[in-house]
Amino acid sequence: MSSEVTATAPSPGVRQRWGAQVGLLAAGTFIMGTDAFVIAGVLPGISASFDISTGQAGQLVTVFSLSYAALAPVLAALTGSWSRRRVLTTALVVFAVGNAVTALAPSYGLVLGSRVVAAGGAALYTANASATASMLAGEHQRGRALSIVMLGLTSSLILGAPLGTALGSVLDWRATMWFVTAMAVLVAPLILWRIPKLHSGGATALRRRFVPLSDRRVLAVLATTVVVFTGIYVPYTYISAVYQPATGDHGGRLAVLLLVFGTAGTAGNLMAGYLADRVGPMRVITVGTVALAAVLLGVPVLRETFATALVAVVLCGVFSFSVTTPQQHMIIALAPGERAVVTSLYQAALYFAVSLSGVVGAFGLGTNVVGARYLSVLAAVFVLAATVLTRVSVAKHTQPEAGNDGWNHGADMRSTET
């Protein structure tokens, strides 16, 4: 596997400015997150507009997630020879076009099609934002740079989705889509102006771009990603059912839980990025998943009152978002010469897990054994399984350096740079 081209690596001067540049990349992920999360808030409006059921309108989320998962690695491979600046700008333009078509669509079928286009732009942007951030910051500050990019995603839960939902309730859901489109149009020229012309490698045949999949360690990380995020998103997707005893179906209380979850997730993400650089991503993932599983096992008791539900949601938010940055840190270390491709594969695995969580959660809710009360316990099984996969499967295919867990301080595995 080829290592990153030295001639295209950022200069020391560029790295000194990486904070502001990565912050700009995070603005883009904020837009992508807002688009992904706000759809749930405007489903009633979409349902009424096209005279369809809420369940049918909900398929917009499924189509977006599955399209994202399928398109992320393909688009990363097709644009591998482009500069990261060109890729990011193009992604924002495609994303804006998709959302503009959604806002103008006269039929439900066209809305479904436009969500595929928007998903393509989002998939191309998010993976390349992470890859670009890791290049700008350098090896030893990779975790912090990735956590800043992910901060855009987590902050969209706190600000973007609620703001877009409020806009949709005051005006209509099409105004929300125009809001997301306008943000993308504003950020695209800033990316073109401020992000340096970096390359992650030369032009490569499409099949060569999928070489990382032949690495069992990469496959192990991707498999772990699917398992753990299925567990994470099952209780989040059905949070209204899980915490119904605490909220009493009161929309205001549910909104508070969502806001608290997003705020706690933001804190957990930033903490995980710092710790991944300090103690290594493997340890951060292990502690985070074990702690999350413990909280999920306690939710059947904690869901009974609003005060205890708040405690559960805070802890779930912190530990849920302590996983994603270390996992990206780990997968980039395995294939430093294919950053854009492996991060796109990671994003594909994550969004596949989001789609899968809806199915798993619906199955759990529909059984007498699980139901809403024990849905978090079902989620804990997935999270604990991911812990075992991380410690056994990933570590098994890793050859750590002496006195090192193989991942500390952003160390790239030598065996990948042949």
Side-chain angles (χ1 to χ4, degrees):
M1 195 176 299
S2 60
S3 61
E4 189 172 307
V5 180
T6 304
T8 58
S11 65
V14 169
R15 282 185 175 162
Q16 289 175 3
R17 301 188 301 272
W18 72 265
Q21 293 166 337
V22 172
L24 184 56
L25 295 173
T29 56
F30 172 83
I31 298 168
M32 304 303 153
T34 298
D35 183 54
F37 296 127
V38 81
I39 289 295
V42 297
L43 283 184
I46 295 174
S47 175
S49 181
F50 296 112
D51 193 24
I52 57 177
S53 68
T54 302
Q56 286 177 294
Q59 295 310 302
L60 295 175
V61 177
T62 302
V63 166
F64 184 91
S65 298
L66 290 177
S67 299
Y68 189 117
L71 292 172
V74 175
L75 293 175
L78 293 175
T79 60
S81 63
W82 297 10
S83 72
R84 298 307 90 190
R85 181 172 65 190
R86 180 185 175 191
V87 172
L88 292 165
T89 305
T90 301
L92 284 166
V93 171
V94 170
F95 174 82
V97 169
N99 277 282
V101 173
T102 301
L104 294 169
S107 67
Y108 175 63
L110 187 55
V111 170
L112 282 175
S114 68
R115 295 308 290 163
V116 174
V117 177
L124 188 59
Y125 182 88
T126 306
N128 278 284
S130 295
T132 304
S134 72
M135 294 171 69
L136 289 168
E139 177 181 318
H140 297 290
Q141 298 183 88
R142 177 185 297 152
R144 272 166 281 187
L146 290 171
S147 69
I148 292 172
V149 172
M150 292 307 299
L151 176 63
L153 187 63
T154 56
S155 61
S156 70
L157 278 169
I158 304 170
L159 180 60
L163 183 59
T165 300
L167 184 63
S169 64
V170 173
L171 299 175
D172 67 5
W173 66 271
R174 296 182 189 274
T176 301
M177 295 297 99
W178 282 121
F179 169 63
V180 175
T181 302
M183 287 195 293
V185 170
L186 288 173
V187 171
L190 295 176
I191 292 284
L192 188 62
W193 175 42
R194 293 298 304 275
I195 300 301
K197 195 174 182 180
L198 302 174
H199 286 78
S200 61
T204 307
L206 181 59
R207 61 184 179 82
R208 289 287 305 276
R209 286 287 170 179
F210 290 93
V211 167
L213 287 177
S214 64
D215 189 329
R216 290 178 295 178
R217 297 167 301 173
V218 171
L219 287 175
V221 174
L222 294 176
T224 302
T225 299
V226 171
V227 176
V228 73
F229 277 99
T230 298
I232 287 171
Y233 276 98
V234 162
Y236 177 79
T237 301
Y238 297 99
I239 190 171
S240 59
V242 172
Y243 292 101
Q244 191 278 333
T247 64
D249 292 324
H250 189 279
R253 288 191 170 191
L254 181 60
V256 170
L257 290 184
L258 290 169
L259 177 63
V260 167
F261 182 85
T263 304
T266 299
N269 168 62
L270 292 174
M271 177 183 67
Y274 173 78
L275 291 175
D277 287 333
R278 297 281 293 180
V279 302
M282 179 78 79
R283 293 172 186 169
V284 177
I285 293 170
T286 301
V287 173
T289 51
V290 170
L292 177 59
V295 176
L296 290 172
L297 290 173
V299 166
V301 175
L302 297 173
R303 71 195 286 262
E304 296 300 327
T305 70
F306 190 67
T308 54
L310 280 173
V311 173
V313 169
V314 167
L315 294 175
C316 282
V318 168
F319 295 123
S320 293
F321 284 95
S322 69
V323 176
T324 183
T325 293
Q327 282 186 326
Q328 290 185 81
H329 192 297
M330 184 181 291
I331 203 167
I332 288 173
L334 288 170
E338 302 290 351
R339 296 169 194 255
V341 172
V342 293
T343 51
S344 68
L345 290 170
Y346 175 81
Q347 294 294 330
L350 193 155
Y351 271 81
F352 176 69
V354 173
S355 298
L356 192 59
S357 70
V359 177
V360 172
F363 171 78
L365 286 174
T367 64
N368 294 327
V369 176
V370 181
R373 182 178 184 85
Y374 296 108
L375 194 62
S376 64
V377 175
L378 176 62
V381 172
F382 280 86
V383 174
L384 286 173
T387 307
V388 175
L389 278 173
T390 300
R391 297 303 304 179
V392 177
S393 186
V394 177
K396 177 182 177 181
H397 299 304
T398 301
Q399 298 175 357
E401 301 177 46
N404 193 323
D405 72 354
W407 306 99
N408 287 346
H409 312 298
D412 291 339
M413 305 309 296
R414 291 194 185 96
S415 60
T416 66
E417 299 185 20
T418 56

